[in-house]
Amino acid sequence: MGGAVSAGEDNDELIDNLKEAQYIRTELVEQAFRAVDRADYYLEEFKDNAYKDLAWKHGNIHLSAPCIYSEVMEALDLQPGLSFLNLGSGTGYLSSMVGLILGPFGVNHGVELHSDVIEYAKQKLDFFIKTSDSFDKFEFCEPSFVTGNCLEISPDCSQYDRVYCGAGVQKEHEDYMKNLLKVGGILVMPLEEKLTKITRTGPSAWETKKILAVSFAPLIQPNHADSGKSRLVHLPPVAVRSLQDLARIAIRGTLKKIIHQEAVSKNGNGLKNPPRLKRRRMRRRRMETIVFLDKEVFASRISNPSDDNNNSEDFEDEGEEEEETKPSELKPDPPVNFLREKVLSLPLPDPLKYYLLYYREK
């Protein structure tokens, strides 16, 4: 058995492999994947498998394979300020990456069946906000999670710009899922063994595209045996930001502009990312095998006609020598958190500085 891409040694190498295999294709999606370390969403004893392109499940906790999440993120076509609903939000890994793109004025909601998984997701979200240096590179749309069956969402809930369902949807529930979308919105879900993208082009008009051949565990049907009544899921209201919170967003945004201007005047091209090591070029290949892992299949990419015309990309030049990496280059200095340094240097009381930093530990 094997995944769609080679295993990485760390989160960045996993993302490099997903880019090489064309699962990650846009800069926004790449930035979000690099900002959220997949291993942080694993239990400690299972972290050795975090950078493999495999799904992981332990009890009710579940993560899909990285190639699935990257295809989902690309298909959602996320933009700042949109509203997003994650059905089967699980650990919150996907919701956190989405929140980095939506920004402070987006909406980021999740519905999860298991209350213990909701608690796990909240712990992981708190850890990300308090400890991740990458958090300061973005303005974050923090996810809100509610417990319940996603097939019992209250009919008076708001519609969303983007919806993802992380469990297999039967044909009988397709219209239910479509009705969660605004006109112009995008729904991504596993529908009849295919990861499917549905765009609502009008009140009763839809465009459908099949992305990947997959097999997810199906949605769990509501059980009304105990009470005989439906337990409607009420999604969080769209929160209105406080004036204090708006001020924090504005101040952080202004400081980032100042940092960028200072860097431009210093070196002429803005802040540079830390140098990345040159990695050996992998051979892209069309997935013919299907990988089973706890009822989830995640490998077999649906071929496009153009794929057969690009076979020349599938071969690497065996005579080409990769550049040797000097030992001194193996461990570059960690990137500097310029925003944190700027905030700490301001002539402000410490409590206000900590507020601007979201009371983060690093």
Side-chain angles (χ1 to χ4, degrees), residues 4 12-13 29 51 80 113 135 176 212 223 236 249 263 274-275 306 323-324 356:
D12 275 326
E13 188 167 327
V29 172
Y51 306 122
L113 183 63
F135 178 83
Y176 171 89
L212 283 176
N223 182 3
I249 293 168
S306 60
E323 294 180 1
E324 294 290 335
L356 290 173

Side-chain angles (χ1 to χ4, degrees), residues 276-290:
R276 299 195 48 73
L277 303 182
K278 186 174 182 181
R279 306 187 188 281
R280 184 168 296 278
R281 184 173 179 268
M282 298 189 312
R283 190 167 76 173
R284 284 171 49 191
R285 60 197 185 278
R286 186 183 309 160
M287 296 309 302
E288 302 294 344
T289 58
I290 298 179

Side-chain angles (χ1 to χ4, degrees), residues 164-165 169 174 177 187-191 194-198:
Y164 170 65
C165 181
V169 178
E174 180 179 357
M177 294 293 177
L187 164 66
V188 178
M189 61 181 176
L191 179 65
K194 300 289 189 298
L195 188 65
T196 305
K197 175 181 179 178
I198 299 176

Side-chain angles (χ1 to χ4, degrees), residues 157-177:
C157 79
S158 300
Q159 293 177 316
Y160 290 78
D161 297 302
R162 301 291 186 267
V163 177
Y164 170 65
C165 181
V169 178
Q170 299 303 312
K171 193 69 176 177
E172 63 192 89
H173 297 304
E174 180 179 357
D175 288 341
Y176 171 89
M177 294 293 177

Side-chain angles (χ1 to χ4, degrees), residues 207-260:
E207 290 181 356
T208 301
K209 178 183 178 182
K210 306 296 183 181
I211 302 172
L212 283 176
V214 295
S215 180
F216 281 59
L219 285 169
I220 295 177
Q221 302 299 309
N223 182 3
H224 303 148
D226 295 336
S227 63
K229 297 181 180 179
S230 174
R231 301 171 182 172
L232 290 180
V233 176
H234 296 279
L235 296 170
V238 177
V240 177
R241 291 209 176 256
S242 67
L243 182 59
Q244 188 179 34
D245 201 19
L246 291 172
R248 173 166 60 183
I249 293 168
I251 292 170
R252 284 168 62 92
T254 300
L255 291 177
K256 287 179 181 179
K257 290 179 181 178
I258 292 172
I259 292 167
H260 178 73

